[in-house]
Amino acid sequence: MASNQVRKDYLLNRWVVIATERKKRPTDFVTKPSANNTDVCPLCPDNEHMTPPAVLVYLSSDETVKKEKDQNGLCHKNWLVRVIPNMYPVFAPPTKKDDLTKQSPESERAVGHHEVIIESPCHDNHPSTMKLSQLVYTISAYLDRLAVLSKKSYVKHVSIFRNHRKEAGASLSHPHSQLITSPFIPTILAEELKASKNYWNKNSKCLFCDVLNKEAAGPRFIWKNNSFVVFAPWASINPFEFWVVPKQHKSNMLCMSGGEMHDLAETMRVCLGGLRSLLNDPPYNFGFHTVLPEDAKNYYHWHLEVYPKLSTWAGFEKSTGMFINTVSPEDAAAELRSAVQAETNL
Ligand SMILES: [Zn+2]
Ligand SMILES: [Zn+2]
Ligand SMILES: [Zn+2]
């Protein structure tokens, strides 16, 4: 007898079949780490000349961190974090020829910014094993670039994301995240905005605040600290997917306080560490959902979504936009909860 369940996302009009009939254990998903690329790494220290000049570097200076950029042919060395333009940008800055008053994205050149945030000078130092202070630098660099780029008139959205391992799209194994700005709000964000606005109009409450309160005390809860709650979303489309949601209601992650940055670093360290130990350092992607429109302040709530890449979307998913997940979010949460707990005891 089929006991599979159909579930709809909290916000999106997106459906998933939780196919527990095909029940799998975490060990069924463990893959062999891909062979290390032995090419010279352009993101490693001393290879700065192999990349475009940095738009931001953090340098340690006595007790504090100095923020600089590469200019006049000078490449800063001994950096803590380095942000560079992507060599093959998806969106590129406007030139004099671009008419920025035109608002139609369909017919325009892809105008914007595409940057690479090099998270650490150490080639093998990923957030799942990184020192908290290093992860705080990375988060701080995200916010510095978000602040600068979101002021530009042609930037309507800033997407900050990470691809981990080749299987999840990382072309270089050196720890890095990326940032892409777009001249319009991408579909998933637009849908989340619309759904949370409708909810606000009906209930005068933030949908995410409600979800957070419910999930913090339920079977999909994974972890929390002073500022963040982590849970497996009700309609996860990826096995072992989890979301990190701030307790403070804010639509834009730029509003994060210093304490919240530290707490986010801790959350990412232990949760990505738990994922790593549970599934032998699996490939994953993560993306921050944060929005710029001022009027979204009340109804939108920024968050981080983490998608382990453990299954392949095939004919059904690609042709319907509906998904099959063979691990229930409740089972995923139970496994992740103990793996993350073990990380916090390290
Ligand atoms: Zn490297
Ligand atoms: Zn909220
Ligand atoms: Zn989201």
Side-chain angles (χ1 to χ4, degrees), residues 206 208-209 249 301:
C206 161
F208 268 100
C209 285
H249 174 91
H301 194 131

Side-chain angles (χ1 to χ4, degrees), residues 22 27 126 143 148 188 198 210 213 236 328 346:
R22 304 174 158 202
T27 44
H126 289 271
L143 298 184
V148 169
I188 289 188
N198 284 344
D210 279 2
N213 288 333
S236 303
S328 79
L346 286 181

Side-chain angles (χ1 to χ4, degrees), residues 40-45 47 120-124 173-175:
V40 174
C41 172
L43 306 188
C44 265
N47 294 341
S120 164
C122 301
H123 188 82
D124 298 312
S173 57
H174 196 108

Side-chain angles (χ1 to χ4, degrees), residues 193 196-197 200 205-209 248-255 290-302:
L193 276 166
S196 48
K197 187 177 187 174
W200 173 267
K205 281 196 295 188
C206 161
L207 189 150
F208 268 100
C209 285
Q248 275 281 338
H249 174 91
K250 296 273 166 56
S251 59
N252 187 335
M253 68 188 276
L254 258 189
C255 303
T290 175
V291 299
L292 302 177
E294 269 295 297
D295 71 318
K297 239 183 193 159
N298 285 334
Y299 60 80
Y300 194 77
H301 194 131
W302 77 269

